[in-house]
Amino acid sequence: MGTQAPMTTSPTQQVATALPPVVAAIDWEAEARGWKLSSEHWEKHAGELERRIELSGKELQVAQAQTAGLRGDLNGLRNDMNNLRATIEALREENTQLKATPVATAATMRIKPKEPPIFDGTGDVDEWRDHMELYFKTCGAFTNDNKVTTALPYLQGKANKAVTDYYEKIRRGEDLGAWDDMFTRIRRHFVTGDEGMAAELALNGIKCGTDSIPSYNARFNRLAKKAGLADSTLQFNYFKGLRVGTQRGVAWAGSHDSIGAMQQAALRDEESENLLRQCGAGGGKENIGRATATEEKPRSGSAVAPAKVTANTIKTDTYTPAPRPTPTPYTPAP
Protein backbone atom coordinates (compact mmCIF):
# COMPACT_ATOMS: atom_id res chain seq x y z
CA MET A 1 0.00 0.00 0.00
CA GLY A 2 1.16 3.46 -0.81
CA THR A 3 1.49 6.25 1.70
CA GLN A 4 -1.49 8.85 1.83
CA ALA A 5 -0.75 12.61 1.85
CA PRO A 6 -1.96 14.51 4.98
CA MET A 7 -5.25 16.58 4.71
CA THR A 8 -5.01 20.41 4.98
CA THR A 9 -7.72 22.64 6.74
CA SER A 10 -8.51 26.34 6.48
CA PRO A 11 -8.02 28.69 9.44
CA THR A 12 -11.78 29.11 9.71
CA GLN A 13 -12.27 25.41 9.83
CA GLN A 14 -9.54 25.17 12.36
CA VAL A 15 -11.26 27.83 14.55
CA ALA A 16 -14.61 26.15 14.11
CA THR A 17 -13.06 22.86 15.01
CA ALA A 18 -11.46 24.41 18.08
CA LEU A 19 -14.77 26.04 19.31
CA PRO A 20 -17.38 24.12 21.18
CA PRO A 21 -20.04 22.58 18.99
CA VAL A 22 -22.75 25.00 20.22
CA VAL A 23 -20.69 28.06 19.37
CA ALA A 24 -19.55 26.64 16.14
CA ALA A 25 -23.13 26.25 15.02
CA ILE A 26 -23.90 30.02 15.29
CA ASP A 27 -24.41 31.93 12.08
CA TRP A 28 -22.03 34.72 12.75
CA GLU A 29 -22.90 36.65 9.66
CA ALA A 30 -26.58 36.78 10.68
CA GLU A 31 -25.58 37.82 14.16
CA ALA A 32 -23.46 40.61 12.69
CA ARG A 33 -26.41 41.87 10.69
CA GLY A 34 -28.60 41.80 13.79
CA TRP A 35 -25.99 43.74 15.74
CA LYS A 36 -25.86 46.33 13.01
CA LEU A 37 -29.64 46.82 13.10
CA SER A 38 -29.56 47.08 16.91
CA SER A 39 -26.77 49.63 16.66
CA GLU A 40 -28.78 51.76 14.24
CA HIS A 41 -31.87 51.46 16.46
CA TRP A 42 -30.01 52.58 19.58
CA GLU A 43 -28.32 55.40 17.67
CA LYS A 44 -31.80 56.66 16.68
CA HIS A 45 -33.07 56.42 20.25
CA ALA A 46 -29.89 57.99 21.53
CA GLY A 47 -30.62 61.08 19.43
CA GLU A 48 -34.16 61.25 20.81
CA LEU A 49 -32.83 60.87 24.34
CA GLU A 50 -30.30 63.62 23.76
CA ARG A 51 -33.11 65.91 22.50
CA ARG A 52 -35.24 65.15 25.54
CA ILE A 53 -32.30 65.65 27.85
CA GLU A 54 -31.65 69.05 26.24
CA LEU A 55 -35.35 69.99 26.60
CA SER A 56 -35.36 68.83 30.21
CA GLY A 57 -32.27 70.94 30.81
CA LYS A 58 -34.08 74.03 29.53
CA GLU A 59 -37.13 73.24 31.66
CA LEU A 60 -34.83 72.76 34.58
CA GLN A 61 -33.32 76.17 33.98
CA VAL A 62 -36.79 77.74 33.85
CA ALA A 63 -37.77 75.92 37.05
CA GLN A 64 -34.57 77.06 38.71
CA ALA A 65 -35.30 80.66 37.68
CA GLN A 66 -38.85 80.38 39.04
CA THR A 67 -37.54 78.84 42.21
CA ALA A 68 -35.11 81.70 42.58
CA GLY A 69 -37.96 84.18 42.09
CA LEU A 70 -40.10 82.40 44.65
CA ARG A 71 -37.20 82.32 47.02
CA GLY A 72 -36.83 86.07 46.59
CA ASP A 73 -40.56 86.57 47.20
CA LEU A 74 -40.33 84.38 50.27
CA ASN A 75 -37.44 86.40 51.57
CA GLY A 76 -39.44 89.58 50.94
CA LEU A 77 -42.41 88.17 52.85
CA ARG A 78 -40.12 87.13 55.65
CA ASN A 79 -38.75 90.66 55.82
CA ASP A 80 -42.27 92.11 55.81
CA MET A 81 -43.26 89.78 58.64
CA ASN A 82 -40.22 90.83 60.62
CA ASN A 83 -41.09 94.49 60.05
CA LEU A 84 -44.69 93.81 61.07
CA ARG A 85 -43.54 92.09 64.24
CA ALA A 86 -41.32 95.05 65.02
CA THR A 87 -44.23 97.44 64.41
CA ILE A 88 -46.52 95.39 66.65
CA GLU A 89 -43.93 95.34 69.41
CA ALA A 90 -43.51 99.09 69.09
CA LEU A 91 -47.28 99.60 69.27
CA ARG A 92 -47.48 97.34 72.33
CA GLU A 93 -44.76 99.30 74.01
CA GLU A 94 -46.48 102.58 73.13
CA ASN A 95 -49.82 101.22 74.42
CA THR A 96 -48.14 100.21 77.67
CA GLN A 97 -46.70 103.69 78.02
CA LEU A 98 -50.08 105.28 77.29
CA LYS A 99 -51.74 103.11 79.93
CA ALA A 100 -49.12 104.15 82.43
CA THR A 101 -49.57 107.82 81.53
CA PRO A 102 -52.40 109.47 83.49
CA VAL A 103 -55.21 110.76 81.28
CA ALA A 104 -55.81 114.48 81.46
CA THR A 105 -59.43 114.80 82.61
CA ALA A 106 -61.42 117.65 84.00
CA ALA A 107 -60.59 116.38 87.49
CA THR A 108 -56.84 116.00 86.93
CA MET A 109 -56.63 119.30 85.07
CA ARG A 110 -58.67 120.94 87.81
CA ILE A 111 -61.04 122.43 85.25
CA LYS A 112 -64.50 122.56 86.76
CA PRO A 113 -67.34 122.79 84.22
CA LYS A 114 -69.73 125.68 84.62
CA GLU A 115 -72.70 124.63 86.68
CA PRO A 116 -76.21 125.09 85.25
CA PRO A 117 -78.65 127.49 86.90
CA ILE A 118 -81.16 126.42 89.52
CA PHE A 119 -84.74 125.97 88.30
CA ASP A 120 -87.43 126.65 90.89
CA GLY A 121 -90.44 126.84 88.59
CA THR A 122 -90.23 130.55 87.77
CA GLY A 123 -87.55 130.75 85.09
CA ASP A 124 -87.39 129.58 81.50
CA VAL A 125 -87.52 125.78 81.69
CA ASP A 126 -86.37 125.30 78.09
CA GLU A 127 -83.30 127.46 78.68
CA TRP A 128 -82.61 125.47 81.85
CA ARG A 129 -82.71 122.27 79.84
CA ASP A 130 -80.18 123.66 77.33
CA HIS A 131 -77.80 124.39 80.22
CA MET A 132 -78.34 120.89 81.60
CA GLU A 133 -77.62 119.23 78.26
CA LEU A 134 -74.32 121.10 78.02
CA TYR A 135 -73.50 120.15 81.60
CA PHE A 136 -74.27 116.49 80.89
CA LYS A 137 -71.83 116.46 77.98
CA THR A 138 -69.09 118.19 79.98
CA CYS A 139 -69.47 115.85 82.97
CA GLY A 140 -69.81 112.69 80.88
CA ALA A 141 -73.38 111.94 81.94
CA PHE A 142 -74.68 109.98 78.95
CA THR A 143 -77.12 107.44 80.44
CA ASN A 144 -80.65 108.28 81.55
CA ASP A 145 -79.90 107.43 85.19
CA ASN A 146 -76.83 109.69 85.19
CA LYS A 147 -78.76 112.56 83.61
CA VAL A 148 -81.67 112.30 86.06
CA THR A 149 -79.44 112.08 89.15
CA THR A 150 -77.30 114.95 87.85
CA ALA A 151 -80.32 117.18 87.20
CA LEU A 152 -82.18 116.57 90.50
CA PRO A 153 -79.90 118.79 92.65
CA TYR A 154 -80.60 121.72 90.29
CA LEU A 155 -84.35 121.57 90.95
CA GLN A 156 -85.52 123.51 94.00
CA GLY A 157 -88.75 124.79 95.47
CA LYS A 158 -91.85 123.88 93.53
CA ALA A 159 -89.78 122.23 90.82
CA ASN A 160 -88.20 119.91 93.38
CA LYS A 161 -91.61 118.99 94.80
CA ALA A 162 -92.78 118.01 91.31
CA VAL A 163 -90.16 115.23 91.16
CA THR A 164 -90.11 113.92 94.74
CA ASP A 165 -91.02 110.42 93.54
CA TYR A 166 -87.60 110.20 91.87
CA TYR A 167 -85.93 110.36 95.29
CA GLU A 168 -88.14 107.47 96.42
CA LYS A 169 -87.07 105.48 93.34
CA ILE A 170 -83.41 106.15 94.16
CA ARG A 171 -83.86 104.93 97.73
CA ARG A 172 -85.60 101.78 96.51
CA GLY A 173 -83.00 101.19 93.79
CA GLU A 174 -85.57 101.35 90.99
CA ASP A 175 -85.06 102.44 87.39
CA LEU A 176 -85.41 106.21 87.04
CA GLY A 177 -86.68 106.13 83.47
CA ALA A 178 -85.77 108.50 80.68
CA TRP A 179 -84.48 112.02 81.20
CA ASP A 180 -86.86 113.25 78.49
CA ASP A 181 -89.85 111.95 80.46
CA MET A 182 -88.69 113.77 83.58
CA PHE A 183 -88.26 117.04 81.70
CA THR A 184 -91.65 116.62 80.00
CA ARG A 185 -93.28 116.35 83.41
CA ILE A 186 -91.53 119.48 84.66
CA ARG A 187 -92.43 121.43 81.54
CA ARG A 188 -96.09 120.44 81.66
CA HIS A 189 -96.28 121.33 85.36
CA PHE A 190 -94.76 124.80 85.10
CA VAL A 191 -95.36 125.90 81.50
CA THR A 192 -98.57 124.41 80.17
CA GLY A 193 -100.50 124.23 83.45
CA ASP A 194 -104.26 123.70 83.30
CA GLU A 195 -104.35 124.62 79.63
CA GLY A 196 -101.87 121.82 78.94
CA MET A 197 -103.95 119.27 80.81
CA ALA A 198 -107.01 120.27 78.82
CA ALA A 199 -105.06 119.96 75.58
CA GLU A 200 -103.83 116.51 76.63
CA LEU A 201 -107.39 115.35 77.29
CA ALA A 202 -108.45 116.74 73.92
CA LEU A 203 -105.64 114.88 72.17
CA ASN A 204 -106.65 111.62 73.82
CA GLY A 205 -110.08 111.83 72.17
CA ILE A 206 -109.24 113.69 68.96
CA LYS A 207 -110.84 112.41 65.74
CA CYS A 208 -110.33 113.45 62.15
CA GLY A 209 -114.02 112.96 61.39
CA THR A 210 -115.15 114.96 58.37
CA ASP A 211 -112.10 117.24 58.38
CA SER A 212 -109.51 117.11 55.65
CA ILE A 213 -106.05 116.00 56.66
CA PRO A 214 -104.62 119.57 56.52
CA SER A 215 -107.38 120.76 58.86
CA TYR A 216 -106.88 117.77 61.15
CA ASN A 217 -103.11 118.37 61.22
CA ALA A 218 -103.54 122.04 62.10
CA ARG A 219 -106.01 121.25 64.89
CA PHE A 220 -103.79 118.49 66.24
CA ASN A 221 -100.64 120.65 66.17
CA ARG A 222 -102.34 123.46 68.12
CA LEU A 223 -103.28 121.02 70.88
CA ALA A 224 -99.89 119.27 70.81
CA LYS A 225 -98.07 122.56 71.33
CA LYS A 226 -100.11 123.25 74.43
CA ALA A 227 -99.94 119.72 75.84
CA GLY A 228 -96.16 119.33 75.66
CA LEU A 229 -96.33 115.52 75.34
CA ALA A 230 -93.55 113.24 74.16
CA ASP A 231 -93.37 112.54 70.43
CA SER A 232 -94.24 108.85 70.87
CA THR A 233 -97.45 109.77 72.71
CA LEU A 234 -98.34 112.32 70.01
CA GLN A 235 -97.86 109.70 67.30
CA PHE A 236 -100.19 107.29 69.10
CA ASN A 237 -102.96 109.88 69.56
CA TYR A 238 -102.60 111.16 65.99
CA PHE A 239 -102.77 107.70 64.44
CA LYS A 240 -105.74 106.74 66.63
CA GLY A 241 -107.71 109.80 65.45
CA LEU A 242 -107.26 109.12 61.74
CA ARG A 243 -109.94 107.56 59.58
CA VAL A 244 -109.52 103.80 59.16
CA GLY A 245 -108.56 104.07 55.50
CA THR A 246 -105.95 106.72 56.21
CA GLN A 247 -104.61 104.60 59.06
CA ARG A 248 -104.01 101.81 56.57
CA GLY A 249 -102.28 104.15 54.17
CA VAL A 250 -100.00 105.52 56.88
CA ALA A 251 -99.22 102.02 58.16
CA TRP A 252 -98.48 100.87 54.61
CA ALA A 253 -96.11 103.83 54.11
CA GLY A 254 -94.28 102.94 57.33
CA SER A 255 -93.71 106.60 58.28
CA HIS A 256 -93.48 106.26 62.04
CA ASP A 257 -90.17 108.03 62.76
CA SER A 258 -91.81 111.24 63.97
CA ILE A 259 -95.16 112.96 64.21
CA GLY A 260 -94.19 115.17 61.26
CA ALA A 261 -93.44 112.14 59.04
CA MET A 262 -96.74 110.56 60.03
CA GLN A 263 -98.65 113.72 59.15
CA GLN A 264 -96.96 113.93 55.76
CA ALA A 265 -97.87 110.28 55.08
CA ALA A 266 -101.51 110.96 55.94
CA LEU A 267 -101.54 114.02 53.67
CA ARG A 268 -100.12 112.02 50.77
CA ASP A 269 -102.70 109.28 51.31
CA GLU A 270 -105.57 111.78 51.16
CA GLU A 271 -104.16 113.37 48.02
CA SER A 272 -103.94 109.92 46.40
CA GLU A 273 -107.56 109.19 47.30
CA ASN A 274 -108.65 112.53 45.84
CA LEU A 275 -106.78 111.79 42.61
CA LEU A 276 -108.43 108.39 42.38
CA ARG A 277 -111.82 110.00 42.95
CA GLN A 278 -111.22 112.57 40.19
CA CYS A 279 -109.92 110.00 37.71
CA GLY A 280 -112.83 107.67 38.40
CA ALA A 281 -110.57 104.76 39.44
CA GLY A 282 -112.69 103.17 42.13
CA GLY A 283 -114.56 106.43 42.72
CA GLY A 284 -118.09 106.90 43.94
CA LYS A 285 -119.48 106.74 47.42
CA GLU A 286 -120.08 102.98 47.13
CA ASN A 287 -116.33 102.28 46.82
CA ILE A 288 -114.78 105.27 48.51
CA GLY A 289 -117.06 104.78 51.49
CA ARG A 290 -116.18 108.09 53.06
CA ALA A 291 -118.79 110.64 52.03
CA THR A 292 -121.01 112.00 49.31
CA ALA A 293 -118.75 114.67 47.87
CA THR A 294 -118.90 117.51 45.38
CA GLU A 295 -115.96 119.45 44.06
CA GLU A 296 -115.09 122.83 45.48
CA LYS A 297 -112.36 125.35 44.74
CA PRO A 298 -108.84 124.25 45.78
CA ARG A 299 -107.71 125.47 49.14
CA SER A 300 -104.48 127.37 49.48
CA GLY A 301 -101.55 125.11 50.27
CA SER A 302 -103.28 121.94 49.05
CA ALA A 303 -102.45 120.28 45.75
CA VAL A 304 -105.94 118.77 45.40
CA ALA A 305 -109.13 120.28 46.81
CA PRO A 306 -110.71 118.07 49.48
CA ALA A 307 -114.27 116.95 49.01
CA LYS A 308 -117.26 118.74 50.46
CA VAL A 309 -118.74 116.29 52.90
CA THR A 310 -122.17 116.11 54.45
CA ALA A 311 -122.20 115.50 58.17
CA ASN A 312 -124.41 112.38 58.11
CA THR A 313 -122.50 110.38 55.54
CA ILE A 314 -119.32 109.60 57.55
CA LYS A 315 -119.16 106.17 59.13
CA THR A 316 -115.62 105.78 60.41
CA ASP A 317 -116.46 102.58 62.31
CA THR A 318 -117.73 100.83 59.19
CA TYR A 319 -115.44 102.49 56.67
CA THR A 320 -114.15 100.13 53.99
CA PRO A 321 -111.54 101.67 51.70
CA ALA A 322 -111.58 101.06 47.98
CA PRO A 323 -109.02 98.49 46.80
CA ARG A 324 -105.87 100.07 45.47
CA PRO A 325 -105.61 99.62 41.68
CA THR A 326 -102.90 97.25 40.51
CA PRO A 327 -100.42 99.15 38.30
CA THR A 328 -100.17 97.83 34.74
CA PRO A 329 -96.55 97.32 33.63
CA TYR A 330 -95.51 99.54 30.75
CA THR A 331 -95.00 97.73 27.43
CA PRO A 332 -93.44 99.83 24.61
CA ALA A 333 -95.08 99.75 21.20
CA PRO A 334 -93.26 97.66 18.56
Side-chain angles (χ1 to χ4, degrees), residues 85-207:
R85 289 194 185 97
T87 303
I88 292 174
E89 292 298 329
L91 290 174
R92 286 177 178 173
E93 184 178 356
E94 183 178 356
N95 187 31
T96 303
Q97 294 177 357
L98 289 175
K99 288 181 178 180
T101 303
V103 180
T105 60
T108 58
M109 296 175 62
R110 297 180 181 179
I111 297 177
K112 186 178 181 179
K114 183 180 179 180
E115 292 189 0
I118 301 296
F119 180 71
D120 58 1
T122 58
D124 187 342
V125 66
D126 293 319
E127 183 179 353
W128 175 78
R129 179 178 184 172
D130 294 338
H131 285 287
M132 290 305 306
E133 293 290 349
L134 181 60
Y135 192 66
F136 293 154
K137 186 174 182 180
T138 307
C139 296
F142 301 112
T143 64
N144 282 314
D145 280 355
N146 289 341
K147 289 181 178 181
V148 171
T149 54
T150 303
L152 284 175
Y154 297 96
L155 295 172
Q156 296 182 2
K158 295 181 180 180
N160 188 48
K161 291 180 180 180
V163 293
T164 53
D165 58 316
Y166 280 92
Y167 294 98
E168 293 294 333
K169 291 181 179 180
I170 292 175
R171 281 192 288 269
R172 292 193 298 264
E174 298 178 359
D175 181 51
L176 299 179
W179 152 249
D180 290 339
D181 294 340
M182 175 183 172
F183 176 77
T184 299
R185 180 198 294 189
I186 297 171
R187 193 178 191 283
R188 288 174 56 197
H189 189 81
F190 294 101
V191 177
T192 57
D194 295 338
E195 185 181 8
M197 295 299 294
E200 181 179 353
L201 293 174
L203 285 174
N204 288 335
I206 193 170
K207 296 290 183 181

Side-chain angles (χ1 to χ4, degrees), residues 178-320:
W179 152 249
D180 290 339
D181 294 340
M182 175 183 172
F183 176 77
T184 299
R185 180 198 294 189
I186 297 171
R187 193 178 191 283
R188 288 174 56 197
H189 189 81
F190 294 101
V191 177
T192 57
D194 295 338
E195 185 181 8
M197 295 299 294
E200 181 179 353
L201 293 174
L203 285 174
N204 288 335
I206 193 170
K207 296 290 183 181
C208 182
T210 61
D211 287 349
S212 64
I213 293 299
S215 299
Y216 176 62
N217 289 348
R219 181 159 52 95
F220 184 90
N221 291 337
R222 285 194 299 269
L223 294 173
K225 186 176 181 181
K226 296 177 181 179
L229 296 175
D231 193 83
S232 58
T233 305
L234 294 177
Q235 291 183 48
F236 175 78
N237 291 333
Y238 179 83
F239 186 82
K240 184 177 63 173
L242 290 171
R243 290 183 288 266
V244 177
T246 309
Q247 287 180 354
R248 294 175 182 174
V250 172
W252 180 76
S255 302
H256 302 156
D257 295 338
S258 65
I259 184 63
M262 187 174 290
Q263 289 179 342
Q264 290 297 322
L267 183 61
R268 288 193 297 269
D269 182 77
E270 184 180 66
E271 291 175 351
S272 299
E273 291 294 340
N274 290 336
L275 286 175
L276 289 175
R277 186 181 294 110
Q278 286 186 352
C279 295
K285 63 179 180 181
E286 296 82 7
N287 293 330
I288 298 298
R290 294 190 177 180
T292 302
T294 57
E295 273 192 322
E296 63 178 5
K297 295 182 180 180
R299 298 181 182 179
S300 59
S302 177
V304 178
K308 190 175 187 180
V309 183
T310 59
N312 297 325
T313 53
I314 299 299
K315 294 183 180 180
T316 56
D317 295 336
T318 60
Y319 164 67
T320 302

